[in-house]
Amino acid sequence: MSEQYTYAVARIRALEVSLFSDSTIDQLIACQSYDQALQFLEEKGWGDTESSGDAEKILTREEEKTWEVVKELSIGMEHFDVLSYPKLFHNLKAAVKEVCTGDKNRHIYYEDVRIPGEEMRKIVEDRDFGKLPDSMRIAGEEAYETLLHTGDGQLCDVIIDRAALDAIYQAGKESPDKIIQDYAESTVAVADIKIAVRSQKTAKSTEFMKRAMAECDSLSVSQLSKAALSGMDAICEYLRGTAYAEGAEALAESPSAFERWCDNRIIQTISPEKYHAFTIGPVIAYVIARQNEIKTVRIILSGKQNELPDDSIRERVRKMYV
């Protein structure tokens, strides 16, 4: 038992009360219009005076609030590295593309990570890849050379996305915290399944899949890619024999049911952490739950903006943590 987490977990328990439940999400979906949905969020305390009426600013502010809470808990930020990898590697991808194509306007950066946009762009521009963390160095250089010499943006993405998955998995293997081990395992396996599904739809080769997929204990990359070559039924058949059998059912149902299952699977992985009082687990679970909540609200707002029927929005909505 670790005393250092007692205060942190107590604080998180108090904050969990304000996380959206499935019924709050239903209320948001029931809003008559996009503007009414924004108003609903603001009444729930989302955003601040600066962000009023601007969905993107509201969502960004909520993301910032999450990390502000974490920093106040005085827990080493290295525990949360695994959660920031997707944004960190996104910055690398955006910088490589901006530097190689000279197109400054299309690439957005995240600022709330270890290497923010401007700094990342300068590293790539100076080809100073030694300044990157070990897990990014080789991928950064390889993606840069690939894009520069072949102009193949998709291959550049694959190289960096694969390195991100490997980094998440490595962090899971090295962490003493069970939640990070489980989160890493689920995240990589779900990403591999998504790659298989996309590759099947776009008729990609085994070589492409092996390059894109990251090895993990709960799936066989070679069996999954072999199944993808045979068709969607073969993917479902393979998944039914793994811990991801529910993914096969979602896949058979519809593309949006499958996308929803992918995110729900992560929430399912972290849910037991609610009951662990003296570890870092509940704090990490809270951050993941907040990210899931913000993503879900984004999906609903996008549906409202495009005037989709409520049922269609509901089909895309993620399971809540509370």
Side-chain angles (χ1 to χ4, degrees), residues 3-128:
E3 290 299 329
Q4 73 183 102
Y5 297 130
T6 315
Y7 163 73
V9 172
R11 177 84 200 279
I12 289 301
R13 290 280 180 263
L15 289 167
E16 279 174 358
V17 178
S18 57
L19 283 170
F20 284 3
S21 62
D22 290 331
S23 64
T24 317
I25 289 295
D26 278 340
Q27 288 175 281
L28 183 60
I29 295 171
C31 290
Q32 296 300 303
S33 66
Y34 174 72
D35 288 338
Q36 199 180 336
L38 279 187
Q39 194 184 337
F40 177 85
L41 290 172
E42 288 176 355
E43 282 166 7
K44 291 279 177 196
W46 278 47
D48 57 21
T49 48
E50 306 286 300
S51 64
S52 187
D54 183 326
E56 203 45 58
K57 282 185 182 167
I58 290 172
L59 296 175
T60 303
R61 184 68 197 107
E62 286 307 301
E63 183 88 34
E64 288 166 2
K65 283 182 194 173
T66 307
W67 290 111
E68 283 163 13
V69 164
V70 170
K71 286 184 182 124
E72 285 166 15
L73 298 176
S74 308
I75 295 172
M77 288 309 284
E78 68 279 1
H79 290 287
F80 301 90
D81 278 353
V82 68
L83 302 183
S84 65
Y85 282 152
K87 287 182 173 182
L88 190 58
F89 281 83
H90 165 91
N91 279 1
L92 176 61
K93 203 191 292 186
V96 167
K97 288 184 173 174
E98 187 181 316
V99 171
C100 289
T101 62
D103 184 351
K104 282 185 162 39
N105 304 319
R106 275 187 40 233
H107 308 293
I108 55 156
Y109 292 100
Y110 292 109
E111 299 306 323
D112 56 346
V113 286
R114 205 192 316 173
I115 307 175
E118 196 56 43
E119 193 184 330
M120 185 70 86
R121 192 178 54 74
K122 183 141 180 42
I123 288 172
V124 175
E125 212 164 42
D126 298 345
R127 299 184 60 173
D128 196 356

Side-chain angles (χ1 to χ4, degrees), residues 195-206 208-209 228-229:
I195 292 164
V197 169
R198 276 203 305 270
S199 298
Q200 194 281 323
K201 287 180 179 163
T202 52
K204 291 281 190 255
S205 66
T206 311
F208 174 88
M209 286 186 265
L229 289 179

Side-chain angles (χ1 to χ4, degrees), residues 224-250:
L224 186 56
S225 40
K226 205 153 88 186
L229 289 179
S230 306
M232 208 57 85
D233 289 347
I235 294 178
C236 290
E237 193 53 45
Y238 170 69
L239 290 179
R240 285 191 187 101
T242 69
Y244 308 97
E246 286 177 5
E249 306 317 316

